[in-house]
Amino acid sequence: MQTAKTLRMTPQRRVILEELRKVDTHPTADELYEMVRKRLPKVSLGTIYRNLDLLSSDGVIQKLQAGNSQMRFDGNAEPHMHISCIKCGRVADVHSGPDTSALSQEVETDFILLGCTVLLYGICPQCAADGKTSERFTP
Amino acid sequence: MQTAKTLRMTPQRRVILEELRKVDTHPTADELYEMVRKRLPKVSLGTIYRNLDLLSSDGVIQKLQAGNSQMRFDGNAEPHMHISCIKCGRVADVHSGPDTSALSQEVETDFILLGCTVLLYGICPQCAADGKTSERFTP
DNA sequence: CTTGTTGCAAACTCTTTGCACTTAG
DNA sequence: CTAAGTGCAAAGAGTTTGCAACAAG
């Protein structure tokens, strides 16, 4: 989970991180690309991907698999639950709820247990209102 | 999550289902393709994908996102926890542990809650023994 | 300086799809 | 019969990577 290399603070990296932390929408790489592009028009999608990868490997941000094929990113590296809309793919934080970190302690497995993710899924308020087109979702 | 169409029981479909249920390894589409190919040499990968899709949409099997980009499949449709090896990607069932279905009831969200998946991750016995090459993993 | 980083475009992986033919019910 | 399913090959989405030029420390 950690890179030995020193991460240089390039303008690109800084803006990516700033933009990601500015929102709580858990954007996809593409969405973040558009956000960053408004400030750095010449940035490339490859740079976005490379940075998101480095930053998540370093534990600075979180890479999320939220029920569809596209990865999403969370500027908040603290472990917390997420809920994903099966219709539109939107992802939201879940701040309440039971302590899932204890979950790991109660499990029987021959694996060396390192952690646990909980993904809730459902329908977001927007999609509940208007019956929009459905997206691919895998619980 | 359900198809209106009647699912015909073709030899391909039957063998795919049989092979999937024969193992507890949660194979990828490709792995299952190889397994099915031993019995039906002319089967196509497209057929594997189409059937896995239909069967999981029908709730006959489960499609899993287990920490890497490739989907995995579980012949056991009953909801249960999985643990994924961050090194080799192997996925195992977790039979013990707390009741995670209750989890949904304790959560505060403006989404219409439909369900919840728990993915544990760690290092499998095999990888713990020999320090093999690492794979991509996203909690 | 030196090594990490960037933009670009091409490559890659996994999955989906269009089509003409086949087949289960 | 006829709608569902198949094999094949091509297309698609999302992500990764090789390379030469660039820049942070």
Side-chain angles (χ1 to χ4, degrees):
Chain A
M1 307 280 177
Q2 48 294 322
T3 316
K5 291 199 212 175
T6 4
L7 288 196
R8 284 187 189 167
M9 195 42 68
T10 61
Q12 289 87 337
R13 183 118 68 217
R14 188 166 35 71
V15 173
I16 288 171
L17 206 42
E18 282 175 11
E19 290 300 313
L20 181 56
R21 285 181 168 160
K22 197 176 282 181
V23 297
D24 65 341
T25 54
H26 312 81
T28 60
D30 229 67
E31 289 166 352
L32 202 44
Y33 175 48
E34 291 308 328
M35 294 158 64
V36 171
R37 217 133 78 109
K38 290 191 181 127
R39 293 176 56 186
L40 301 174
K42 296 190 64 70
V43 77
S44 87
L45 187 52
T47 295
I48 305 288
Y49 274 110
R50 269 183 296 227
N51 277 294
L52 290 174
D53 232 55
L54 282 173
L55 292 169
S56 61
S57 295
D58 259 46
V60 178
I61 67 173
Q62 256 187 288
K63 186 189 269 196
L64 309 172
Q65 241 184 198
N68 18 239
S69 45
Q70 249 171 118
M71 290 299 174
R72 288 180 170 271
F73 298 87
D74 191 337
N76 173 11
E78 287 301 304
H80 57 282
M81 295 194 288
H82 291 102
I83 180 158
S84 172
C85 177
I86 64 168
K87 299 248 184 210
C88 69
R90 212 185 312 264
V91 172
D93 291 321
V94 175
H95 296 296
S96 65
D99 182 23
T100 52
S101 59
L103 210 151
S104 317
Q105 265 99 74
E106 303 175 43
V107 154
E108 255 176 61
T109 177
D110 50 359
F111 280 47
I112 299 169
L113 232 170
L114 295 178
C116 146
T117 27
V118 179
L119 179 66
L120 301 162
Y121 51 93
I123 298 174
C124 74
Q126 288 89 331
C127 288
D130 51 56
K132 278 268 171 58
T133 32
S134 199
E135 226 182 55
R136 206 161 290 276
F137 184 84
T138 304
Chain B
M1 305 278 177
Q2 49 293 322
T3 315
K5 290 197 210 177
T6 4
L7 287 196
R8 286 187 190 167
M9 196 40 70
T10 61
Q12 290 88 338
R13 182 117 70 217
R14 188 168 34 71
V15 173
I16 289 170
L17 206 41
E18 282 174 12
E19 290 300 312
L20 181 56
R21 284 180 168 159
K22 196 175 284 180
V23 297
D24 66 341
T25 54
H26 311 82
T28 60
D30 228 68
E31 289 166 353
L32 202 43
Y33 174 48
E34 292 308 329
M35 294 159 66
V36 172
R37 218 134 78 109
K38 292 194 177 120
R39 293 175 56 188
L40 301 174
K42 294 190 66 66
V43 77
S44 88
L45 187 52
T47 295
I48 304 287
Y49 274 110
R50 269 183 296 228
N51 277 294
L52 291 174
D53 232 54
L54 281 174
L55 292 169
S56 60
S57 295
D58 259 49
V60 178
I61 66 172
Q62 255 188 284
K63 187 188 269 196
L64 310 172
Q65 242 184 201
N68 18 237
S69 45
Q70 250 170 119
M71 290 299 172
R72 289 180 170 271
F73 298 87
D74 191 337
N76 173 11
E78 287 301 304
H80 57 283
M81 294 194 287
H82 291 103
I83 180 159
S84 173
C85 178
I86 62 168
K87 299 247 182 214
C88 69
R90 211 185 312 264
V91 171
D93 290 322
V94 175
H95 297 294
S96 65
D99 182 23
T100 52
S101 59
L103 209 151
S104 317
Q105 265 98 72
E106 303 174 45
V107 155
E108 254 176 62
T109 177
D110 51 358
F111 279 48
I112 299 168
L113 231 170
L114 295 178
C116 145
T117 27
V118 179
L119 178 66
L120 301 162
Y121 50 93
I123 298 174
C124 74
Q126 288 87 334
C127 288
D130 52 57
K132 276 267 170 57
T133 32
S134 199
E135 224 182 55
R136 208 159 289 275
F137 184 84
T138 304

